[in-house]
Amino acid sequence: MMAREMHRLVVCPADELQEGQRQLIEVNGVEIGLIRAEGVCYAFRNSCPHQGVPMLYGSVVGTMLPSRPHEYVYGLHNEIIRCPLHGWEFNLKTGKAVFSPDVSIKTYEVKEEAGSIVLYLDREPQKVTRKDFSCILSP
């Protein structure tokens, strides 16, 4: 089986994605959200598989892990993004839903290289747009 060719896309200077900050880009008509949490950059399709709600507005949290009865184990601190509408939780590293490995959001490889945030895509980026994003939610 041949390895897939990956296409490198420089998104922004690394200092434009500080801890807790988010960026939104559109590549070939698909919105991709980027988040830095605990020093790690994550990239994912900005759409919840449930009802298409933009995931970039979701909270980055940890979650309760499977455990024995009457035992409560918290884990995956700042590795989970929660859909802002119905609370579905997804692992930022794998894209897999916490409640079912059969449900996921698409994740993308993203790295910090030579002072830039770089996204690796399986398709050549033809049209790239950096979109305005504000995480300020109305009361």
Side-chain angles (χ1 to χ4, degrees):
M1 184 172 177
M2 289 181 51
R4 249 187 168 175
E5 180 184 0
M6 298 303 284
H7 300 276
R8 189 175 182 273
L9 174 65
V10 176
V11 176
C12 65
D15 62 1
E16 287 187 18
L17 190 62
Q18 296 290 322
E19 183 66 26
Q21 290 185 319
R22 300 160 189 231
Q23 294 277 338
L24 180 61
I25 63 171
E26 187 174 304
V27 179
N28 301 338
V30 175
E31 284 191 350
I32 298 173
L34 293 103
I35 291 179
R36 185 188 298 265
E38 301 291 319
V40 179
C41 294
Y42 299 100
F44 50 89
R45 185 167 183 200
N46 190 35
S47 179
C48 181
H50 180 218
Q51 291 189 339
V53 173
M55 292 297 294
L56 206 49
Y57 289 102
S59 301
V60 175
V61 297
T63 193
M64 299 309 291
L65 301 175
S67 56
R68 297 189 323 222
H70 308 291
E71 181 178 87
Y72 302 96
V73 180
Y74 173 84
L76 303 174
H77 181 69
N78 285 342
E79 293 180 18
I80 301 294
I81 189 160
R82 184 179 294 146
C83 175
L85 187 58
H86 293 113
W88 287 25
E89 294 178 331
F90 299 89
N91 186 307
L92 283 166
K93 290 181 179 179
T94 66
K96 300 284 184 200
V98 171
F99 62 88
S100 171
D102 296 331
V103 179
S104 63
I105 57 173
K106 180 169 176 51
T107 58
Y108 300 87
E109 183 179 355
V110 61
K111 295 181 181 178
E112 191 170 334
E113 297 174 354
S116 294
I117 302 298
V118 179
L119 191 59
Y120 287 87
L121 304 164
D122 54 5
R123 292 193 176 127
E124 185 176 352
Q126 301 292 325
K127 183 177 181 190
V128 179
T129 306
R130 189 166 172 178
K131 302 187 90 174
D132 287 333
F133 172 75
S134 173
C135 201
I136 300 170
L137 303 175
S138 332

